[in-house]
Amino acid sequence: MTASIPQTAALQVENLHKSFAGIEVLKGVSLTAEKHDVISIIGSSGSGKSTLLRCMNLLEFPDSGRLRVHGEELELTPNHRGVRSRRFQRQIERVRSRLAMVFQSFNLWSHMTVLENVMLGPCLVHRRHRDEVEAQAKQLLARVGMLEKCQMYPDCLSGGQKQRVAIARALAMDPEVMLFDEPTSALDPELVGEVLLVIRELAEEG
Protein backbone atom coordinates (compact mmCIF):
# COMPACT_ATOMS: atom_id res chain seq x y z
CA MET A 1 0.00 0.00 0.00
CA THR A 2 1.47 3.35 -1.04
CA ALA A 3 1.58 6.07 1.65
CA SER A 4 -0.24 9.25 0.72
CA ILE A 5 1.85 12.37 0.20
CA PRO A 6 0.86 15.15 2.63
CA GLN A 7 -0.53 18.27 0.96
CA THR A 8 1.03 21.62 1.77
CA ALA A 9 -1.54 24.03 3.20
CA ALA A 10 -2.26 27.08 1.09
CA LEU A 11 -1.93 29.35 4.12
CA GLN A 12 -0.87 28.76 7.72
CA VAL A 13 -0.96 31.29 10.55
CA GLU A 14 0.47 30.33 13.94
CA ASN A 15 0.18 32.29 17.19
CA LEU A 16 -0.05 35.70 15.51
CA HIS A 17 0.15 38.77 17.77
CA LYS A 18 -0.33 42.42 16.82
CA SER A 19 -0.66 45.53 18.99
CA PHE A 20 -1.33 49.19 18.24
CA ALA A 21 -0.33 51.86 20.76
CA GLY A 22 -0.11 49.25 23.50
CA ILE A 23 -3.52 47.73 22.72
CA GLU A 24 -3.28 44.06 21.75
CA VAL A 25 -5.57 43.45 18.78
CA LEU A 26 -4.48 39.94 17.77
CA LYS A 27 -3.83 37.62 20.71
CA GLY A 28 -2.23 34.47 19.39
CA VAL A 29 -4.45 33.79 16.36
CA SER A 30 -3.87 30.56 14.43
CA LEU A 31 -5.56 29.10 11.36
CA THR A 32 -4.84 26.74 8.48
CA ALA A 33 -6.41 27.08 5.04
CA GLU A 34 -6.07 24.08 2.75
CA LYS A 35 -6.41 24.39 -1.01
CA HIS A 36 -10.05 25.15 -2.01
CA ASP A 37 -11.06 25.92 1.60
CA VAL A 38 -13.58 28.69 2.19
CA ILE A 39 -13.14 30.21 5.65
CA SER A 40 -15.25 32.98 7.16
CA ILE A 41 -13.93 35.11 10.03
CA ILE A 42 -16.80 36.51 12.07
CA GLY A 43 -16.59 39.13 14.79
CA SER A 44 -17.81 42.50 15.93
CA SER A 45 -16.48 45.77 14.55
CA GLY A 46 -12.99 46.46 15.87
CA SER A 47 -12.34 42.85 16.87
CA GLY A 48 -9.31 42.52 14.58
CA LYS A 49 -10.68 40.86 11.43
CA SER A 50 -9.15 43.40 9.03
CA THR A 51 -5.91 43.48 11.01
CA LEU A 52 -5.60 39.71 10.69
CA LEU A 53 -6.10 39.84 6.92
CA ARG A 54 -3.63 42.72 6.57
CA CYS A 55 -1.05 40.74 8.56
CA MET A 56 -1.59 37.73 6.27
CA ASN A 57 -0.89 39.94 3.25
CA LEU A 58 1.93 41.80 5.04
CA LEU A 59 0.23 45.16 4.71
CA GLU A 60 0.80 45.13 8.48
CA PHE A 61 3.73 43.35 10.11
CA PRO A 62 2.81 41.04 13.01
CA ASP A 63 4.64 41.60 16.30
CA SER A 64 5.20 37.87 16.62
CA GLY A 65 4.01 34.55 15.24
CA ARG A 66 4.60 32.49 12.11
CA LEU A 67 3.18 32.77 8.61
CA ARG A 68 3.57 30.24 5.79
CA VAL A 69 2.30 30.45 2.23
CA HIS A 70 2.31 27.06 0.48
CA GLY A 71 4.96 25.84 2.90
CA GLU A 72 7.28 28.84 2.54
CA GLU A 73 7.81 30.43 5.94
CA LEU A 74 8.26 34.19 6.00
CA GLU A 75 11.01 35.95 7.91
CA LEU A 76 8.80 38.11 10.11
CA THR A 77 11.46 39.07 12.65
CA PRO A 78 13.90 41.91 11.78
CA ASN A 79 17.55 41.68 12.81
CA HIS A 80 19.00 43.26 15.98
CA ARG A 81 19.13 46.66 14.22
CA GLY A 82 15.45 46.45 13.27
CA VAL A 83 16.32 45.94 9.59
CA ARG A 84 14.64 43.32 7.43
CA SER A 85 16.73 41.36 4.94
CA ARG A 86 16.63 41.64 1.16
CA ARG A 87 15.37 38.06 1.14
CA PHE A 88 12.39 39.21 3.19
CA GLN A 89 11.67 42.04 0.75
CA ARG A 90 11.60 39.49 -2.06
CA GLN A 91 9.30 37.33 0.05
CA ILE A 92 6.91 40.24 0.50
CA GLU A 93 6.69 40.67 -3.26
CA ARG A 94 6.05 36.96 -3.75
CA VAL A 95 3.41 36.80 -1.01
CA ARG A 96 1.51 39.83 -2.28
CA SER A 97 1.40 38.35 -5.77
CA ARG A 98 0.05 35.04 -4.41
CA LEU A 99 -2.42 36.36 -1.81
CA ALA A 100 -4.82 38.72 -3.57
CA MET A 101 -6.91 41.01 -1.38
CA VAL A 102 -10.28 42.64 -2.05
CA PHE A 103 -10.88 45.66 0.19
CA GLN A 104 -14.20 46.93 1.55
CA SER A 105 -13.45 50.39 0.08
CA PHE A 106 -12.64 49.02 -3.44
CA ASN A 107 -9.27 50.91 -3.70
CA LEU A 108 -9.53 51.34 -7.47
CA TRP A 109 -7.34 53.92 -9.22
CA SER A 110 -9.74 56.74 -10.09
CA HIS A 111 -7.57 58.07 -12.96
CA MET A 112 -7.54 54.69 -14.73
CA THR A 113 -10.30 52.99 -16.66
CA VAL A 114 -11.82 49.75 -15.44
CA LEU A 115 -9.68 47.80 -17.91
CA GLU A 116 -6.48 49.63 -16.90
CA ASN A 117 -7.19 48.92 -13.22
CA VAL A 118 -7.42 45.19 -13.90
CA MET A 119 -4.31 45.16 -16.13
CA LEU A 120 -2.00 47.13 -13.85
CA GLY A 121 -0.90 44.36 -11.47
CA PRO A 122 0.01 41.69 -14.03
CA CYS A 123 1.86 44.25 -16.19
CA LEU A 124 3.72 45.89 -13.30
CA VAL A 125 4.39 42.96 -10.96
CA HIS A 126 4.48 39.94 -13.28
CA ARG A 127 5.83 41.94 -16.24
CA ARG A 128 3.63 40.05 -18.69
CA HIS A 129 3.06 41.22 -22.25
CA ARG A 130 0.35 43.89 -22.47
CA ASP A 131 -1.66 42.17 -25.22
CA GLU A 132 -1.81 38.93 -23.22
CA VAL A 133 -2.80 40.79 -20.05
CA GLU A 134 -5.51 42.77 -21.87
CA ALA A 135 -7.10 39.60 -23.24
CA GLN A 136 -7.14 38.00 -19.78
CA ALA A 137 -8.49 41.19 -18.17
CA LYS A 138 -11.41 41.29 -20.59
CA GLN A 139 -12.17 37.63 -19.86
CA LEU A 140 -12.21 38.33 -16.14
CA LEU A 141 -14.38 41.43 -16.53
CA ALA A 142 -16.81 39.35 -18.58
CA ARG A 143 -16.77 36.74 -15.81
CA VAL A 144 -17.95 39.30 -13.24
CA GLY A 145 -20.38 40.97 -15.66
CA MET A 146 -18.36 44.17 -16.17
CA LEU A 147 -16.92 43.86 -19.69
CA GLU A 148 -19.30 46.46 -21.13
CA LYS A 149 -17.95 48.97 -18.57
CA CYS A 150 -14.27 48.33 -19.36
CA GLN A 151 -13.57 51.81 -20.77
CA MET A 152 -15.37 53.66 -17.98
CA TYR A 153 -13.75 55.23 -14.92
CA PRO A 154 -14.53 54.07 -11.36
CA ASP A 155 -16.35 57.30 -10.45
CA CYS A 156 -19.00 56.39 -13.04
CA LEU A 157 -19.76 53.03 -11.41
CA SER A 158 -22.03 51.96 -8.59
CA GLY A 159 -20.54 50.45 -5.43
CA GLY A 160 -21.45 46.94 -6.51
CA GLN A 161 -19.86 47.47 -9.91
CA LYS A 162 -16.68 48.83 -8.33
CA GLN A 163 -16.42 45.78 -6.08
CA ARG A 164 -16.88 43.41 -9.02
CA VAL A 165 -14.05 45.25 -10.82
CA ALA A 166 -11.93 44.91 -7.66
CA ILE A 167 -12.56 41.15 -7.67
CA ALA A 168 -11.54 40.93 -11.34
CA ARG A 169 -8.40 42.92 -10.54
CA ALA A 170 -7.51 40.47 -7.76
CA LEU A 171 -8.12 37.47 -10.02
CA ALA A 172 -5.86 38.98 -12.70
CA MET A 173 -2.87 38.24 -10.46
CA ASP A 174 -3.64 34.48 -10.67
CA PRO A 175 -3.59 34.24 -6.86
CA GLU A 176 -3.40 31.05 -4.85
CA VAL A 177 -5.41 32.61 -2.00
CA MET A 178 -8.13 35.27 -2.09
CA LEU A 179 -8.64 37.47 0.98
CA PHE A 180 -11.91 39.42 1.22
CA ASP A 181 -12.06 42.22 3.80
CA GLU A 182 -15.81 42.77 4.37
CA PRO A 183 -16.37 43.21 0.62
CA THR A 184 -20.06 44.11 0.97
CA SER A 185 -20.01 46.35 4.06
CA ALA A 186 -19.70 49.58 2.05
CA LEU A 187 -22.53 48.65 -0.34
CA ASP A 188 -26.20 49.55 -0.34
CA PRO A 189 -28.36 46.50 0.56
CA GLU A 190 -29.66 46.10 -3.01
CA LEU A 191 -26.08 45.80 -4.32
CA VAL A 192 -24.87 43.18 -1.85
CA GLY A 193 -26.41 40.25 -3.72
CA GLU A 194 -24.54 40.81 -6.98
CA VAL A 195 -21.16 40.79 -5.20
CA LEU A 196 -21.98 37.77 -3.04
CA LEU A 197 -23.04 35.89 -6.19
CA VAL A 198 -19.60 36.45 -7.75
CA ILE A 199 -17.85 35.33 -4.54
CA ARG A 200 -20.07 32.24 -4.30
CA GLU A 201 -19.27 31.30 -7.90
CA LEU A 202 -15.54 31.65 -7.21
CA ALA A 203 -15.84 29.40 -4.18
CA GLU A 204 -17.73 26.77 -6.15
CA GLU A 205 -15.00 26.80 -8.80
CA GLY A 206 -12.35 26.17 -6.12
Side-chain angles (χ1 to χ4, degrees):
M1 184 175 179
T2 304
S4 61
I5 300 174
Q7 297 294 311
T8 301
L11 179 66
Q12 291 176 291
V13 176
E14 292 182 17
N15 200 29
L16 216 62
H17 289 259
K18 180 65 178 178
S19 298
F20 295 98
I23 299 174
E24 192 174 24
V25 178
L26 302 181
K27 305 175 182 180
V29 178
S30 298
L31 68 82
T32 298
E34 303 291 348
K35 190 175 181 181
H36 305 312
D37 274 356
V38 178
I39 298 175
S40 297
I41 301 171
I42 301 172
S44 59
S45 178
S47 61
K49 302 184 299 296
S50 294
T51 298
L52 176 60
L53 292 178
R54 291 174 66 85
C55 284
M56 289 179 186
N57 206 29
L58 296 178
L59 295 172
E60 298 281 356
F61 292 120
D63 297 328
S64 63
R66 304 175 75 176
L67 179 62
R68 298 187 190 90
V69 180
H70 277 275
E72 179 183 358
E73 183 163 351
L74 277 72
E75 293 182 353
L76 296 179
T77 305
N79 64 21
H80 65 281
R81 298 191 304 275
V83 177
R84 299 180 189 274
S85 68
R86 289 184 179 179
R87 177 177 180 269
F88 180 69
Q89 297 302 324
R90 290 194 293 269
Q91 280 189 318
I92 291 177
E93 294 172 4
R94 280 200 302 276
V95 166
R96 287 179 181 162
S97 68
R98 296 163 74 180
L99 273 66
M101 189 157 176
V102 178
F103 301 87
Q104 55 184 305
S105 55
F106 323 126
N107 288 9
L108 299 176
W109 294 105
S110 61
H111 66 289
M112 293 183 173
T113 66
V114 163
L115 183 61
E116 290 169 340
N117 265 280
V118 177
M119 292 176 59
L120 181 63
C123 286
L124 194 63
V125 177
H126 292 164
R127 303 196 182 282
R128 292 167 52 197
H129 192 275
R130 184 176 178 84
D131 290 344
E132 174 193 353
V133 171
E134 182 174 346
Q136 182 198 31
K138 288 181 176 179
Q139 289 177 352
L140 292 172
L141 287 169
R143 184 176 178 183
V144 298
M146 289 299 296
L147 180 58
E148 74 280 1
K149 307 285 188 182
C150 69
Q151 296 303 328
M152 297 181 70
Y153 289 87
D155 287 347
C156 300
L157 305 178
S158 70
Q161 290 172 333
K162 290 178 183 177
Q163 197 60 291
R164 283 188 281 157
V165 173
I167 293 172
R169 179 183 59 182
L171 289 171
M173 296 298 291
D174 294 321
E176 296 164 8
V177 177
M178 290 277 284
L179 305 175
F180 290 90
D181 185 8
E182 300 192 46
T184 62
S185 65
L187 303 180
D188 293 331
E190 63 269 20
L191 301 176
V192 170
E194 66 185 65
V195 174
L196 290 180
L197 178 61
V198 172
I199 296 172
R200 186 177 295 114
E201 289 172 351
L202 292 175
E204 290 171 352
E205 293 170 12

